Amino acid sequence: MSGAPALEVDLRITVGRGAAAFSVEARFSLPSGVLVLFGSSGAGKTVTLRAIAGLLRPARGSVQLAGEALFDWMRGVCVPAERRRIGYVPQDQALFPHLDVLGNVVFGLPRAERKKPGAATLALLDELGLTALREARVDALSGGERQRVALARALAAEPRLLLLDEPLSALDRPSRLAIGRSLREALARRSLPAVLVTHDAEEAAAFGDVFVRFERGKPAREMPREVVLGEGAPCPHCGKP
Amino acid sequence: MESSASFPILLSLRVAGLALLFVGPIGLAVALLQARFRYRLRGLVDALVLLPLVLPPSVVGYCLVVVFGRRGLVGRMLEEGIGLRLVFSPAGAALASAVVALPILVKTAQPSIEAVPSQLEDVARTLGLRPWEVILRVTLPLAWRGVLAALVLGFARAIGEFGATLMLAGNIPGRTNTMPVEIFSAFQEGDDARAGLYVAVLSAISVVVVLVAGLLGPREGRATA
């Protein structure tokens, strides 16, 4: 393993045009494990996630994955999204409605592997409890099942980093716990670093190794766990815990 | 030369088919461009695409003759370069049909492409697909109804083209007398039976097209996301 951190981000992103434009500044570094982007909606968490994936072009800054520059404004580097090998699970999962569960999972694989799924694909379906659902239509799935399919689809392409946008927030409590466990195990088994967006403190605490707080109009920075989650930190106004 | 009654029907089908072969890919490319990209000249392209719909057919025909005629810049290049003369030829009729079919093609295909959630295309890219692969494996499979409706309507518009065709390709029996042109000649000659035949054929094609396009149209309660 090289000495470089799994992910290093230092970005300024401008979104929209004219009066509706706003900009997001974020600087953080993840040695390994899960980085949590925490904060209320509209603070730029999803935008930051999309910039790391290469789906939008930042105004300036840099993104480095295990020491490799994916984006470097100063040097004019911008690796296109399809060559970054970064898995992306958006908030609404964005499953392909014209394909069944298996078709979604193998979507990013080479043609031969799509026609006849190999051992790795079957193992992945099994790992995420999707074997029985492999021929199901995706619009017939429950929220938890959709999340498993989206996760399997991203993992099948063997990403170097996984981006998860509010992966658990739309789920009821039992499936939240179950999917949360599957997700943690899947990441640990592969030593796969991940960036997870959430506005839920409990979710952040359950997953995070490094925490970055997003607030509208303020630069996003790494924060100690207690400060981000408000755990046991003294109240800034009255000094009480 | 006396041409058989079936000649204009077959000629019209060939001309409209050729026009669609030519303008179909162009129209889809423009629809994709307009649906998915916000660029500086987007409004201008939008206006240019709509122009053949608004301009009188004789004006479109005149412009085509100026550009593609024997003394036109492009016309001269085509004739000297590859020996293709568009004036008074079926190829000219196809060109005129293609130009007038472009607006309906683009404007029918574009909304169905816009209705494909761009989030799906984003995910496809993160899974390693290049932009053209995303179009083939995500955008078009999800927008196929609108794209097919666009091609069908474009074909109907192409097969019915009269004004611009007459200007560029003329009305040469056995060569460029497509059905719409033939209806006009027959009418002028007082040959109601001949005119009526092509009127019936073109009307039948139009009815079928409208029905097919209706079947392909947006369905109530059908989720696109």
Side-chain angles (χ1 to χ4, degrees), chain A:
Chain A
M1 197 172 165
S2 70
L7 178 70
E8 269 192 291
V9 170
D10 180 2
L11 287 176
R12 185 187 169 89
I13 311 159
T14 309
V15 203
R17 263 173 215 168
F22 76 106
S23 77
V24 176
E25 272 187 73
R27 184 156 73 203
F28 49 81
S29 165
L30 174 72
S32 66
V34 178
L35 180 107
V36 168
L37 306 184
F38 180 75
S40 54
S41 51
K45 304 189 298 294
T46 297
V47 166
T48 305
L49 212 58
R50 290 174 55 82
I52 296 171
L55 296 169
L56 61 82
R57 205 186 170 96
R60 60 169 172 265
S62 66
V63 176
Q64 305 217 19
L65 186 61
E68 182 201 337
L70 297 179
F71 176 76
D72 190 332
W73 181 72
M74 296 281 276
R75 292 195 293 142
V77 174
C78 186
V79 177
E82 64 268 26
R83 291 219 308 267
R84 292 194 179 194
R85 288 188 51 215
I86 293 180
Y88 178 38
V89 179
Q91 190 166 4
D92 65 354
Q93 297 97 35
L95 299 183
F96 301 117
H98 57 305
L99 301 171
D100 61 9
V101 166
L102 182 62
N104 270 273
V105 173
V106 298
F107 190 85
L109 300 178
R111 178 185 281 270
E113 181 71 2
R114 292 205 301 273
K115 292 221 157 144
K116 197 180 179 316
T121 305
L122 297 178
L124 181 61
L125 288 173
D126 188 49
E127 179 187 347
L128 289 169
L130 294 170
T131 305
L133 290 169
R134 53 185 277 177
E135 276 162 33
R137 290 174 53 99
V138 295
D139 53 13
L141 300 179
S142 72
E145 289 162 348
R146 290 178 62 84
Q147 200 62 48
R148 287 175 190 278
V149 175
L151 189 58
R153 178 179 62 181
L155 291 174
E158 298 184 346
R160 299 182 290 172
L161 173 75
L162 192 59
L163 307 175
L164 301 149
D165 198 347
E166 303 271 6
L168 307 179
S169 56
L171 305 176
D172 55 28
R173 195 164 173 83
S175 40
R176 187 184 298 215
L177 293 173
I179 306 281
R181 194 177 327 113
S182 301
L183 180 56
R184 258 193 308 277
E185 284 170 7
L187 294 175
R189 191 169 294 138
R190 293 166 177 80
S191 308
L192 179 64
V195 180
L196 183 142
V197 162
T198 184
H199 64 268
D200 183 277
E202 200 185 332
E203 200 173 311
F207 279 95
D209 297 306
V210 176
F211 299 86
V212 175
R213 186 178 186 96
F214 277 73
E215 275 176 280
R216 210 180 176 123
K218 285 192 194 170
R221 293 282 185 269
E222 282 169 50
M223 299 271 174
R225 178 189 191 96
E226 304 75 38
V227 176
V228 173
L229 307 176
E231 281 174 354
C235 166
H237 304 294
C238 59
K240 284 183 197 158

Side-chain angles (χ1 to χ4, degrees), chain A residues 17 50 53-55 80-82 85-88 90-98 106-109 114 153-154 157, chain B residues 38-40 117-131 133-134 136-139 141-142 223-225:
Chain A
R17 263 173 215 168
R50 290 174 55 82
L55 296 169
E82 64 268 26
R85 288 188 51 215
I86 293 180
Y88 178 38
Q91 190 166 4
D92 65 354
Q93 297 97 35
L95 299 183
F96 301 117
H98 57 305
V106 298
F107 190 85
L109 300 178
R114 292 205 301 273
R153 178 179 62 181
Chain B
R38 297 284 171 271
Y39 57 99
R40 194 181 296 265
S118 57
Q119 190 88 285
L120 298 179
E121 298 169 331
D122 289 345
V123 168
R125 291 202 54 205
T126 66
L127 291 169
L129 275 75
R130 280 160 284 185
E133 292 174 309
V134 174
L136 289 182
R137 290 186 53 206
V138 178
T139 317
L142 286 169
T224 46

Side-chain angles (χ1 to χ4, degrees), chain B residues 160-180:
Chain B
E161 173 48 26
F162 172 66
T165 308
L166 194 63
M167 300 276 293
L168 186 64
N171 176 12
I172 304 168
R175 188 163 161 80
T176 63
N177 54 332
T178 57
M179 283 193 276

